Amino acid sequence: MTALLPHGPAFIRAQRDSFEFPYLLANHAPMVLEAMRQMGASNARIADWYAAYVASKNVPPQAPPQGTLNADTWRGALGDRAREADLRDFFTAEAARLGPDGAIRLYLPEMAQGMAGSAIHPLMRMAYGVIGGNTAEIGHALGYWAATYLHVPLDHSATARTHDPLDVITGVYTLPGADSYQVEVDLLWHNIRAVCGLPGFASLAGSLDMVPDTPRQMAAAALALYAQTMDFSALHAVTGLHWLRTIAPHLDDPMPLYPVLWAIIASLIPKIGFPTLPTAEALEVMRQTPAPDWPAIFAAACASDDEHDISLTFSAYQEQQIWGDPLYQVVAARRVGLIT
């Protein structure tokens, strides 16, 4: 990794845009611009990418504020996208007052079960705020999380318990209604909301007992799922676990957030098409696929206009540094078209 450039004007402008663009799709720009910066893109390329993204997605500016929120009133705006500016202002001020670490520790645990909002992209924004050391972005992420809050049900009273995250995934294959609900084409969070609302889902999602090794197991399972399918929804399993791992050190106890994220990942199994999970032998074959070095993958990602090429590449790189699995490099190279 090369020395980081300072944030350019495009990043500053991106911070002023709305969290979402029509229709209720996540605005990736602030996070992708940070990922490009981390991967060594020039400020000129970052500016060009941002201009093209805003134009193609019709990203609007943030709507005007409706009224000031404070420590006693912000909860009344949970899940209200119309209060985006008010929530952003409140949490940005709190991040400045408490510091990014203090703001995350104080506010995120209370909102943890709302992680499904905007298809977990508030988690993405928070992670990239941490990666970039940007206090304002932590405030924006908390405001985004609050404005799009979508509850994930977890019933921890289920008598059948498991320590294996894959049991939750495979449980969706036989969950009544999971194979017949109406799949929403555009919005992942509509799929998440529909499957999370099925009878029995809360008990299934709440049956997972965390142990210290569970985050690693989840990362391995998410990578296997994506490597097998190269599916857009499965991509968010890999990236989402990177984002949660990134913010975990800023929480007193990050473990309760993992079952929430895993429930969200499990809820996308019907949209992915109930894929056959790969065997250990099949994964090893994929793992042995020759792939270019990371600088070449970074260059291809940063040359792409697809925000998910950039997001997946940087997350895969960061996850490989922690977990050591070369399959991350293979799927990143495949995602950006360097290998087949």
Side-chain angles (χ1 to χ4, degrees):
M1 301 289 281
T2 58
L4 293 179
L5 295 172
H7 287 116
F11 183 82
I12 306 305
R13 291 197 300 272
Q15 289 186 297
R16 297 195 292 264
D17 293 333
S18 179
F19 295 141
E20 296 177 320
F21 58 85
Y23 171 68
L24 302 180
L25 290 159
N27 172 14
H28 289 66
M31 302 83 91
V32 166
L33 299 188
E34 182 62 53
M36 293 176 73
R37 173 176 173 256
Q38 295 287 330
M39 291 190 290
S42 69
N43 277 334
R45 171 58 187 148
I46 288 171
D48 287 346
W49 191 96
Y50 171 70
Y53 183 82
V54 171
S56 66
K57 306 296 187 184
N58 295 313
V59 177
Q62 177 183 259
Q66 294 191 3
T68 302
L69 295 170
N70 59 40
D72 296 321
T73 60
W74 70 268
R75 294 173 184 83
L78 274 177
D80 187 350
R81 284 172 165 82
R83 304 300 301 276
E84 173 186 333
D86 306 327
L87 287 161
R88 188 194 298 236
D89 288 347
F90 169 69
F91 283 111
T92 301
E94 286 295 272
R97 180 178 71 88
L98 298 167
D101 188 80
I104 293 171
R105 288 181 191 278
L106 178 61
Y107 288 109
L108 190 56
E110 184 174 347
M111 294 195 290
Q113 281 193 248
M115 190 188 296
S118 203
I120 69 172
H121 289 91
L123 175 64
M124 181 186 190
R125 191 149 187 176
M126 184 172 294
Y128 278 98
V130 168
I131 289 166
N134 193 302
T135 299
E137 278 297 279
I138 299 303
H140 296 163
L142 287 166
Y144 184 12
W145 196 305
T148 61
Y149 185 98
L150 180 60
H151 184 77
V152 177
L154 295 174
D155 180 1
H156 295 293
S157 68
T159 54
R161 313 300 303 169
T162 182
H163 290 112
D164 187 349
L166 276 176
D167 288 341
V168 177
I169 296 293
T170 56
V172 175
Y173 286 64
T174 56
L175 185 70
D179 62 349
S180 59
Y181 88 99
Q182 186 64 44
V183 174
E184 164 71 40
V185 174
D186 293 324
L187 293 174
L188 286 187
W189 66 267
H190 279 189
N191 286 268
I192 295 164
R193 182 177 62 186
V195 176
C196 283
L198 292 174
F201 182 84
S203 293
L204 174 63
S207 67
L208 180 64
D209 289 329
M210 295 291 296
V211 296
D213 193 48
T214 306
R216 183 201 61 79
Q217 292 177 296
M218 288 179 173
L223 177 58
L225 180 64
Y226 182 59
Q228 176 78 352
T229 64
M230 297 301 291
D231 179 85
F232 174 77
S233 299
L235 179 151
H236 288 79
V238 175
T239 56
L241 284 159
H242 164 230
W243 305 333
L244 181 50
R245 182 183 58 74
T246 298
I247 70 166
H250 302 273
L251 293 162
D252 291 330
D253 182 9
M255 285 302 199
L257 276 73
Y258 279 94
V260 181
L261 178 57
W262 199 246
I264 294 167
I265 293 168
S267 75
L268 291 170
I269 287 295
K271 190 172 192 317
I272 299 170
F274 299 98
T276 301
L277 299 177
T279 64
E281 293 77 15
L283 286 171
E284 189 56 33
V285 170
M286 288 187 268
R287 195 171 281 122
Q288 297 302 320
T289 304
D293 292 338
W294 280 110
I297 302 173
F298 287 173
C302 290
S304 174
D305 292 330
D306 186 331
E307 62 270 33
H308 293 98
D309 287 353
I310 298 164
S311 172
L312 184 278
T313 295
F314 187 66
S315 286
Y317 170 77
Q318 292 241 303
E319 291 295 86
Q320 184 171 308
Q321 306 317 297
I322 298 300
W323 306 119
D325 193 333
L327 187 54
Y328 284 108
Q329 194 165 339
V330 172
V331 299
R334 185 170 291 144
R335 173 72 203 190
V336 299
L338 294 178
I339 60 175
T340 59

